[in-house]
Amino acid sequence: MVGEETYWFKELHTQDAGILLRGKVILKKKSKFQEILVIENPTYGRTLILDGCVMTTEKDEFFYHEMLVHLPILSHPNPKKVLIIGGGDGGALREVLKHDIEKAVLVELDEEVLRVAREFFPKLSSSFDDKRAEILSEEGTVFIKGTKELFDLIFIDSPDPVGFAKELFTQRFYRRAALVLNEGGILVAQTESPLLHLDLIREVNQNLKRIFPFVRVFLTVVPTYPGGLWSFTMASKSSLPHHPLRDPPSDLKVYSRETHIASLSLPPFLENVVA
Ligand code: SPD
């Protein structure tokens, strides 16, 4: 299969709809935790697929990583220490390091994903070599329980809530994460598709509101993800501004002052669920 030029990858997003990508298989292997597949698709470029789900493609990853990171980080008055749970491809870390922060700790469960990112996704994973970055391979839940450090932002850049990732969407996990946030800290999670996973977004929202008085959902598009429209949820014990507090880094493709404000403006079908 590796080297096969015309392999058709199929991911079902529901029982009867999904995405098809044809391409050359670059790598297929099983890690301790999951199946890792890398294909080269002429339209979306190199694509990382974990357990049959598209995680990132070279062509559209910036929609996800820029919006996940810059909107929350520019909502914090003075971010210095950042924690990323998951995010083993390095895309979120790359965006975090565009800011004047002192330290970013990335905690990825699967060290094989870190290795694959280093070898096949250098545009994302070159962030691993930044002096401010600390890369750990362990379970996020275990790290959060054991760490003595406090963070200004915690990004939960997880896969879908299936298998080992399910815990990262629970109230129990959010309570523990809240304990390692500095005063005024912000927790941010990827929270799936408003079109296909509205119940999950509602549940995460309710769970976070039991812990944090300020919770906001914001949106981006990710063409290769289920439903195409994607949500993030951020939460804090301090109020969250509606606009960025500083100028963004200069080399961005989708995040701007305008898209920041627009992304926080929710369509009624979603606003009704999280208001
Ligand atoms: N359905 C795919 C959801 C994946 C969300 N996380 C992607 C990680 C990219 N850094």
Side-chain angles (χ1 to χ4, degrees):
M1 182 186 185
V2 174
E4 195 184 320
E5 296 279 349
T6 53
Y7 173 76
W8 276 101
F9 164 75
K10 175 175 82 175
E11 177 186 345
L12 283 180
H13 296 158
T14 66
Q15 300 216 323
D16 45 38
I19 185 171
L20 270 178
L21 297 171
R22 182 168 63 81
K24 180 172 172 179
V25 178
I26 308 289
L27 173 92
K28 183 177 197 269
K29 70 187 309 183
K30 267 204 183 315
S31 75
K32 218 167 104 188
F33 301 99
Q34 55 207 333
E35 184 190 84
I36 304 177
L37 177 65
V38 179
I39 63 169
E40 188 80 46
N41 172 263
T43 303
Y44 286 102
R46 199 157 278 187
T47 301
L48 175 67
I49 297 157
L50 298 180
D51 272 348
C53 298
V54 172
M55 287 296 123
T56 211
T57 84
E58 283 179 332
K59 179 89 170 172
D60 70 359
E61 58 86 12
F62 66 93
F63 285 107
Y64 178 92
H65 291 124
E66 285 191 14
M67 295 313 291
L68 165 69
V69 168
H70 299 299
L71 192 153
I73 219 166
L74 290 166
S75 301
H76 189 288
N78 188 25
K80 290 294 165 205
K81 284 185 69 184
V82 172
L83 173 64
I84 301 168
I85 302 288
D89 53 48
L93 179 64
R94 178 195 63 197
E95 297 306 317
V96 163
L97 294 172
K98 290 178 181 171
H99 294 264
D100 181 24
I101 58 135
E102 285 164 8
K103 183 175 179 184
V105 181
L106 183 146
V107 184
E108 162 63 47
L109 171 68
D110 192 343
E111 67 175 336
E112 203 50 47
V113 169
L114 295 170
R115 227 174 277 139
V116 167
R118 265 196 193 284
E119 187 172 349
F120 297 103
F121 296 88
K123 285 189 196 140
L124 287 82
S125 63
S126 57
S127 55
F128 295 167
D129 298 322
D130 190 291
K131 279 198 210 81
R132 296 167 294 165
E134 184 180 347
I135 314 297
L136 303 173
S137 169
E138 67 176 272
E139 218 172 310
T141 49
V142 173
F143 175 86
I144 284 215
K145 262 192 234 166
T147 186
K148 300 258 180 301
E149 292 188 79
L150 294 178
F151 298 91
D152 299 308
L153 285 121
I154 301 176
F155 292 97
I156 307 167
D157 183 11
S158 71
D160 302 319
V162 177
F164 60 78
K166 254 189 182 166
E167 178 67 17
L168 300 176
F169 291 79
T170 61
Q171 198 187 139
R172 179 172 51 191
F173 176 71
Y174 299 142
R175 278 197 193 284
R176 289 197 187 118
L179 297 175
V180 301
L181 271 178
N182 272 320
E183 206 185 314
I186 303 175
L187 176 140
V188 194
Q190 78 82 3
T191 44
E192 305 282 301
S193 161
L195 199 60
L196 301 180
H197 313 118
L198 203 53
D199 287 345
L200 176 100
I201 297 173
R202 179 191 288 112
E203 192 185 317
V204 166
N205 209 264
Q206 288 167 352
N207 284 340
L208 285 169
K209 280 182 177 155
R210 293 197 180 100
I211 307 162
F212 299 95
F214 301 97
V215 177
R216 300 288 300 269
V217 174
F218 56 101
L219 297 175
T220 190
V221 292
V222 187
T224 54
Y225 281 3
L229 181 67
W230 209 250
S231 77
F232 304 100
T233 305
M234 63 177 171
S236 180
K237 292 194 175 165
S238 301
S239 71
L240 292 162
H242 293 249
H243 52 80
L245 300 178
R246 295 172 299 286
D247 285 336
S250 55
D251 63 335
L252 305 181
K253 290 197 214 161
V254 66
Y255 177 87
S256 67
R257 280 185 171 271
E258 290 72 24
T259 54
H260 181 126
I261 293 161
S263 302
L264 285 162
S265 307
L266 302 181
F269 82 93
L270 178 56
E271 181 65 35
N272 292 340
V273 158
V274 298

